[in-house]
Amino acid sequence: MKFRFFPIFSVILLLSACHKLGTFEGLKGIEFQHTRFFKSHVNKLTLNISWKQTTRKIYIFFPSHFVKKGQVLLLHGWNLPPLQWFEETSLDEKLLDAGFILIVPDMGKSLYAKVTYKETLPVFKHQPLLSWLKDTVIPYLQDTINLFKKGDNNFIIGLSTGARGAFALLLEEPFLFSGVGLLSGDYDQTLNPNDNLMIYHYGNYEHFPNRWEGKDNLLREFIRKMSYYKDCFLPPLYVAHGMDDPVVSVVQSDTLVRILLHYGCNIQYRFVKGEKHNYHFWENETPYLTNFILTQVSKNTASASIK
């Protein structure tokens, strides 16, 4: 099978050749005695927002105290229950205790694509596109609940395919967010042309290279957008990936980090030896994510006080 590579992507190959994975941070995972548990939230609001001929649920959780520091959009993994993240980790407790409102849309089996095609399987055609978040959900939250206003402390955290969605939304609305956290995500489908999920949506790479390398290829889209800016236009990012992930290769996050560093973006990252694609790893990332978000809020507060 032969693949084409556009000149715009040559910088990725060059950086990969010059910067071996072994030079990245590899930290031993924290020991975590995991037990699945369920939590009940009193301050929860469930919305039904239109998508095509049906509706999708949006879950909103409010902190119990009056001090609001901001809001966090959480995008779950592909075909995972949207609230399982809360059931299996302490992320919701940490963020709610810190004063953040949490917004969790039910994205189902979404790949956060911009369009569907004749070759797209029917089950994928029924999933929300990226435009649903950008053009429906966020405007609804802004106009109806007064959330995600520009200038607020707005954050996104994505897990697995949700990390892909978080970065895709960030590229569409980079000036709306104060920061983004990406866990175990995939950002360039051409790095794994045998990925069945991508094949089911875009068709075979060999037959449809423009789809695989076009606007839904997030790394290439970032590079294309950088041609309009002198400096990196993205807010601070936190990227983490298990180095023994059998579901989404760490090469995905490794390549993303290389590109972001090359263009001078503000990024923190952790590639953790022995960790895989599961809630054990994602729970261990909770303190790092929480600290990352609180640090950005503190910087925003200090910047506002100076003004």
Side-chain angles (χ1 to χ4, degrees):
M1 184 180 294
K2 296 181 180 179
F3 305 121
R4 306 178 201 171
F5 293 89
F6 288 103
I8 194 171
F9 203 57
S10 60
V11 63
I12 293 179
L13 300 179
L14 176 62
L15 289 171
S16 296
C18 297
H19 197 339
K20 299 298 183 182
L21 180 62
T23 62
F24 277 75
E25 180 182 12
L27 302 179
K28 184 177 180 180
I30 303 169
E31 292 297 327
F32 175 69
Q33 192 66 35
H34 178 65
T35 302
R36 190 176 185 201
F37 56 95
F38 293 85
K39 293 164 281 191
S40 61
H41 293 271
V42 177
N43 302 319
K44 182 177 98 172
L45 174 66
T46 302
L47 305 175
N48 290 292
I49 299 184
S50 297
W51 165 250
K52 292 188 174 180
Q53 286 75 43
T54 183
T55 60
R56 287 276 178 167
K57 291 187 182 299
I58 305 289
Y59 303 96
I60 304 178
F61 299 84
F62 298 89
S64 57
H65 46 81
F66 293 103
V67 178
K68 189 192 83 168
K69 287 186 178 176
Q71 41 270 322
V72 183
L73 178 68
L74 294 127
L75 303 181
H76 62 84
W78 186 86
N79 200 30
L80 293 179
L83 299 183
Q84 189 177 54
W85 199 351
F86 290 3
E87 296 161 2
E88 299 288 347
T89 80
S90 59
L91 181 65
D92 57 322
E93 292 178 344
K94 300 299 184 185
L95 292 176
L96 287 170
D97 287 346
F100 291 95
I101 298 172
L102 310 182
I103 299 96
V104 187
D106 182 358
M107 298 302 295
K109 298 177 181 179
S110 176
L111 294 181
Y112 301 90
K114 291 185 172 67
V115 296
T116 58
Y117 305 93
K118 184 178 71 172
E119 292 75 17
T120 304
L121 290 185
V123 66
F124 285 82
K125 289 183 178 179
H126 295 302
Q127 307 307 315
L129 296 172
L130 180 64
S131 57
W132 184 63
L133 284 177
K134 178 178 178 289
D135 301 329
T136 300
V137 173
I138 289 180
Y140 182 90
L141 295 173
Q142 291 173 331
D143 298 338
T144 307
I145 313 181
N146 200 35
L147 298 178
F148 277 100
K149 295 286 189 178
K150 288 190 175 180
D152 288 351
N153 288 314
N154 304 318
F155 296 89
I156 326 173
I157 301 176
L159 180 156
S160 190
T161 304
R164 176 182 180 83
F167 194 61
L169 184 59
L170 188 67
L171 292 180
E172 293 290 311
E173 296 284 351
F175 306 112
L176 179 61
F177 297 99
S178 301
V180 59
L182 308 174
L183 301 180
S184 310
D186 62 297
Y187 315 99
D188 178 1
Q189 49 267 40
T190 67
L191 295 176
N192 182 12
N194 297 316
D195 186 331
N196 284 330
L197 294 185
M198 297 298 169
I199 293 172
Y200 295 155
H201 188 95
Y202 299 103
N204 189 284
Y205 181 25
E206 185 176 24
H207 296 151
F208 304 101
N210 290 339
R211 298 176 185 176
W212 286 64
E213 299 166 354
K215 290 189 175 181
D216 280 354
N217 187 304
L218 304 182
L219 284 186
R220 301 188 188 207
E221 184 64 6
F222 167 71
I223 294 172
R224 283 187 283 263
K225 285 179 178 288
M226 276 302 305
S227 65
Y228 299 101
Y229 297 92
K230 293 182 179 179
D231 301 308
C232 181
F233 60 94
L234 299 180
L237 301 97
Y238 177 85
V239 179
H241 211 121
M243 294 181 71
D244 294 298
D245 190 327
V247 179
V248 179
S249 172
V250 68
V251 171
Q252 290 282 346
S253 292
D254 171 51
T255 309
L256 173 67
V257 167
R258 297 174 197 273
I259 295 301
L260 295 177
L261 289 174
H262 174 76
Y263 284 99
C265 295
N266 182 346
I267 179 171
Q268 301 175 34
Y269 57 94
R270 273 176 32 97
F271 295 158
V272 189
K273 292 180 180 178
E275 291 288 7
K276 299 183 179 180
H277 199 87
N278 53 37
Y279 285 106
H280 174 276
F281 171 55
W282 299 326
E283 166 63 4
N284 286 343
E285 288 303 308
T286 292
Y288 297 99
L289 282 168
T290 305
N291 182 67
F292 168 76
I293 289 176
L294 289 173
T295 299
Q296 305 315 314
V297 171
S298 297
K299 288 180 180 178
N300 292 344
T301 302
S303 176
S305 64
I306 293 174
K307 294 178 181 179

